Amino acid sequence: MATNKHAIIRYRALDKCFSSKKNHYLEDLLDACNEALRQEDPNTNGIQKRQLYDDIRFMEKEEGYAIELEKKKEGRNVYYRYKDPTFTISEKGLNSSEAAQIKEALLILSRFKGMPQFEWVDEISARLESSFGLKEGAEKIIDFEQNKYLKGLDHMTILFNSILHKRVLKASYKPFKINQEQEIIFHPYYLKQYNNRWFCFGWNEGLSKISNLALDRIVELKEIRKKYIKNSSEDFDEYFEDLVGVTATCETQKVILKVDADLYPYIETKPLHGSQTPIEKTKDYIILRYELKLNYELESLILSFGERIEVLEPPVLKLKIKGRFVNATNRYQS
């Protein structure tokens, strides 16, 4: 049985009943669980007796809390209490299910080890491993793609804290195509990773709009005393909904791609974008439709598949991809 938030609430409610001097019958146990759930979520439908029986069986198992219950009959009814009146699950160590979940959490947290602002991950992982013996016999079973040599990670701490505490920054910034450093007054809102690079989105005073700064192009960041402009208009989940990458330069439009049949299984299982929809299938090719904003990242993604993907629409994207293939071919003319 998975130990989710509502299950833990029920187990604690039952623990109080089992350790109480008052007799608790099945209806009392059910009422106690449902009352505890209502306090957490007033809209809950609660549980029925079947779930209550499952909860009690789980608490009695070794992978649960290994509780020992007395079930005493009083007339036609049965009441439940701990054999040891001093027992409580709050003083018992982790059960096997909880330990397994913490191990999984440590694997996820390990992704952030060594990154600025996440130094606490090393400390808390060590404490958990030491306190609960979670490292014994452990071996690495998952690896996340991450470029630990990426420039700009040292800016993560100040950006993270500035977003959290709503502070304004002065950034010395050097774009790839400009040799001179730019000075930008920046109100940071959101950090996003794309293609192993980190970007910070925020209000750019010089442009009077939301833009992004690549962390590896930031030369220096300084906090300045200035009124922070809050993000009142941009929902970043919505911002990235019709986007490949991080650059939004135009309105969303229909994109039609023709994909070779032998490539399609890879694209079907790992869509280029969430809007991917097949509109025609033959033995040689598949036609796919997308709703996307055109940008450099989309072009690069299409080009990464070489000749096995053809752009049919829109014409402007087709011409760009064709031009880049022509330029690439010209480089090998000798």
Side-chain angles (χ1 to χ4, degrees):
M1 179 186 293
T3 309
N4 57 37
K5 184 179 180 180
H6 279 192
I8 291 172
I9 291 170
R10 300 195 305 268
Y11 301 152
R12 287 175 178 169
L14 290 172
D15 179 57
K16 288 181 181 178
C17 294
F18 296 150
S19 58
S20 171
K21 292 181 180 179
K22 179 184 174 182
N23 295 342
H24 284 82
Y25 303 93
L26 274 175
E27 290 298 335
D28 299 321
L29 298 176
L30 192 63
D31 288 344
C33 287
N34 286 332
E35 178 57 30
L37 290 172
R38 276 192 292 272
Q39 289 179 9
E40 175 66 25
D41 178 10
N43 298 317
T44 183
N45 293 323
I47 62 167
Q48 302 299 320
K49 282 186 179 179
R50 181 176 178 182
Q51 181 64 63
L52 177 62
Y53 286 127
D54 287 343
D55 287 349
I56 293 172
R57 279 194 291 269
F58 175 74
M59 292 179 73
E60 290 178 314
K61 292 179 179 179
E62 283 296 327
E63 61 264 34
Y65 298 96
I67 66 172
E68 294 184 358
L69 287 179
E70 286 183 341
K71 301 168 187 177
K72 293 190 175 182
K73 199 165 186 181
E74 190 174 76
R76 292 185 177 182
N77 297 318
V78 176
Y79 65 85
Y80 296 71
R81 66 172 46 156
Y82 288 135
K83 285 184 179 180
D84 178 359
T86 64
F87 178 85
T88 173
I89 63 173
S90 62
E91 295 180 2
K92 188 175 175 64
L94 290 177
N95 60 42
S96 59
S97 175
E98 291 169 332
Q101 289 176 339
I102 289 180
K103 284 181 181 179
E104 291 171 8
L106 286 176
L107 284 170
I108 302 300
L109 287 173
S110 67
R111 178 183 185 185
F112 298 97
K113 282 186 177 182
M115 288 187 63
Q117 191 61 39
F118 292 94
E119 295 87 353
W120 56 270
V121 171
D122 295 311
E123 181 181 348
I124 198 170
S125 296
R127 286 186 180 182
L128 290 170
E129 289 164 355
S130 172
S131 300
F132 303 121
L134 298 179
K135 198 167 186 177
E136 184 178 349
E139 59 182 45
K140 191 172 184 180
I141 60 172
I142 188 169
D143 189 22
F144 295 96
E145 186 176 2
Q146 184 170 307
N147 183 358
K148 61 183 179 181
Y149 305 108
L150 182 67
K151 290 183 178 180
L153 289 181
D154 52 316
H155 301 307
M156 183 72 76
T157 297
I158 188 171
L159 287 167
F160 186 93
N161 284 327
S162 296
I163 294 170
L164 191 63
H165 301 294
K166 296 179 170 46
R167 295 168 180 163
V168 185
L169 298 172
K170 180 189 287 186
S172 295
Y173 192 72
K174 191 174 181 181
F176 282 117
K177 295 181 179 180
I178 301 175
N179 291 327
Q180 213 169 10
E181 290 181 18
Q182 298 178 343
E183 189 176 277
I184 298 170
I185 305 301
F186 196 68
H187 304 247
Y189 299 149
Y190 191 80
L191 284 161
K192 182 176 175 64
Q193 187 182 35
Y194 173 72
N195 198 24
N196 280 332
R197 297 177 70 208
W198 281 95
F199 299 84
C200 186
F201 288 77
W203 184 260
N204 186 321
E205 287 197 7
L207 299 177
S208 296
K209 68 175 184 178
I210 291 177
S211 66
N212 72 69
L213 302 181
L215 267 63
D216 55 337
R217 305 310 299 163
I218 295 174
V219 179
E220 187 180 16
L221 286 174
K222 287 182 180 179
E223 187 179 317
I224 60 173
R225 285 184 169 273
K226 196 167 189 179
K227 186 178 179 181
Y228 182 85
I229 301 173
K230 293 182 180 179
N231 176 26
S232 58
S233 60
E234 197 65 71
D235 178 342
F236 283 100
D237 286 335
E238 186 178 323
Y239 182 90
F240 293 109
E241 188 177 359
D242 49 7
L243 203 59
V244 171
V246 295
T247 310
T249 57
C250 65
E251 294 301 312
T252 302
Q253 52 190 293
K254 178 176 67 176
V255 175
I256 306 293
L257 303 181
K258 182 178 180 181
V259 178
D260 286 359
D262 62 342
L263 175 63
Y264 180 63
Y266 299 95
I267 291 179
E268 182 182 28
T269 54
K270 186 187 176 184
L272 305 187
H273 184 263
S275 63
Q276 179 170 297
T277 306
I279 57 175
E280 183 183 341
K281 290 185 179 181
T282 73
K283 65 181 182 65
D284 297 318
Y285 61 83
I286 291 84
I287 305 294
L288 299 174
R289 174 181 176 142
Y290 302 86
E291 297 294 329
L292 289 168
K293 293 176 180 175
L294 307 186
N295 60 15
Y296 180 81
E297 294 97 310
L298 175 60
E299 292 176 32
S300 297
L301 179 61
I302 293 170
L303 288 166
S304 71
F305 293 97
E307 75 285 357
R308 302 169 79 184
I309 286 184
E310 179 186 351
V311 177
L312 301 182
E313 295 182 35
V316 63
L317 180 60
K318 183 172 183 175
L319 285 172
K320 278 192 175 183
I321 297 297
K322 180 180 178 181
R324 291 181 66 175
F325 270 121
V326 169
N327 290 338
T329 302
N330 290 339
R331 285 181 175 267
Y332 291 92
Q333 299 294 331
S334 57

